[in-house]
């Protein structure tokens, strides 16, 4: 079955960068966009952006422009999200999720989601 | 950005109850609305897409309806495994946005 497995928790300092990985299995990695969504402690869900694993094209939420980079390595079916210039407000669980689409190319939703990676920013 | 609101934000219910959650969009999103379920410490899970289509494997006690700006998620008979937080999400335009969530707790 389709699975997304993310890298482990990270603890990092303000001003630093963090890179989270998302390894896909059970489907053709290049056939579906990978989205990244974050959730601060006790808060709701916030979309960060997507990467097209086929072309490498990306689309980021305006809030993260200039600070986020999403990449992929197709040889190992893995997507990455790197966030730089971290502050305590970036402390959150970061999820990757596959964009599910219909045969007509209509986006149906995000399915499945990775298990999440807790990023803690603390001095 | 399209804003989504949900009501109620918190709901206390008993096993077997019928539960309805409402999601409202700040503009017409036709049926580009999905419902996700999230249990504590777990990733969200897609329940319903295109406002009313059940994702494969989701029990038939879940149903969705609506179009335009008003949508509902109904659980016909609440089961113990349904106690969770439910988020609506719009996919009509970028950026995709989520509602603030409705937490369904045990009465």
């Amino acid at each position: 079955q389709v699975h997304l497995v993310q890298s482990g928790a990270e603890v990092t300092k303000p001003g630093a960068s963090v890179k989270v990985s998302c390894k896909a299995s059970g489907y053709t990695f290049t056939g579906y966009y990978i989205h990244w969504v974050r959730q601060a402690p006790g808060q709701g869900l916030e979309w960060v952006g997507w990467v097209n694993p086929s072309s490498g094209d990306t689309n980021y939420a305006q809030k993260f422009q200039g600070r986020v980079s999403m990449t992929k390595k197709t040889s190992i079916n893995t997507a990455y999200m790197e966030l730089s210039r971290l502050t305590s407000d970036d402390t959150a669980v970061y999820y990757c999720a596959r964009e599910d689409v219909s045969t007509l190319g209509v986006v149906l939703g995000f399915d499945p989601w990775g298990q999440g990676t807790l990023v803690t920013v603390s001095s | 950005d399209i804003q989504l609101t949900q009501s109620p934000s918190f709901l206390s219910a008993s096993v077997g109850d019928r539960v309805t959650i409402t999601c409202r969009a700040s503009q017409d999103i036709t049926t580009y609305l999905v419902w996700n379920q999230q249990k504590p410490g777990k990733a969200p899970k897609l329940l319903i897409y295109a406002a009313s289509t059940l994702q494969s494997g989701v029990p038939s006690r879940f149903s969705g309806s609506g179009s335009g700006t008003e949508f509902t998620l109904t659980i016909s008979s609440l089961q113990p495994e349904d106690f969770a937080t439910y988020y609506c999400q719009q996919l009509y335009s970028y950026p995709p946005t989520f509602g603030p969530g409705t937490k369904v707790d045990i009465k």
Side-chain angles (χ1 to χ4, degrees), chain A residues 95-108:
Chain A
Y95 294 102
C96 63
R98 189 186 75 161
E99 179 181 280
D100 198 10
V101 292
S102 71
T103 52
L104 298 176
V106 176
V107 178
L108 303 179

Side-chain angles (χ1 to χ4, degrees), chain A residues 4-45:
Chain A
L4 298 175
V5 178
Q6 298 182 223
S7 48
E10 302 265 7
V11 179
T12 187
K13 294 192 182 305
S17 298
V18 69
K19 190 171 186 176
V20 180
S21 69
C22 172
K23 183 172 177 60
S25 62
Y27 72 98
T28 302
F29 177 62
T30 52
Y32 299 81
Y33 287 16
I34 293 288
H35 291 253
W36 291 88
V37 175
R38 77 177 187 179
Q39 186 171 37
Q43 302 300 308
L45 300 164

Side-chain angles (χ1 to χ4, degrees), chain B residues 27-101:
Chain B
Q27 65 182 75
D28 187 347
I29 59 170
T30 65
T31 56
Y32 286 88
L33 191 283
V34 308
W35 289 97
N36 298 290
Q37 175 195 61
Q38 186 178 34
K39 296 182 181 179
K42 300 294 186 183
K45 172 188 169 185
L46 178 64
L47 291 181
I48 289 171
Y49 62 88
S52 61
T53 304
L54 228 56
Q55 177 70 335
S56 175
V58 174
S60 59
R61 61 182 180 273
F62 290 93
S63 64
S65 65
S67 67
T69 61
E70 187 155 335
F71 304 85
T72 59
L73 170 69
T74 300
I75 309 171
S76 60
S77 177
L78 199 65
Q79 297 303 299
E81 60 267 30
D82 301 336
F83 291 97
T85 300
Y86 294 85
Y87 294 94
C88 57
Q89 177 193 5
Q90 67 81 20
L91 296 168
Y92 180 80
S93 69
Y94 272 88
T97 47
F98 296 86

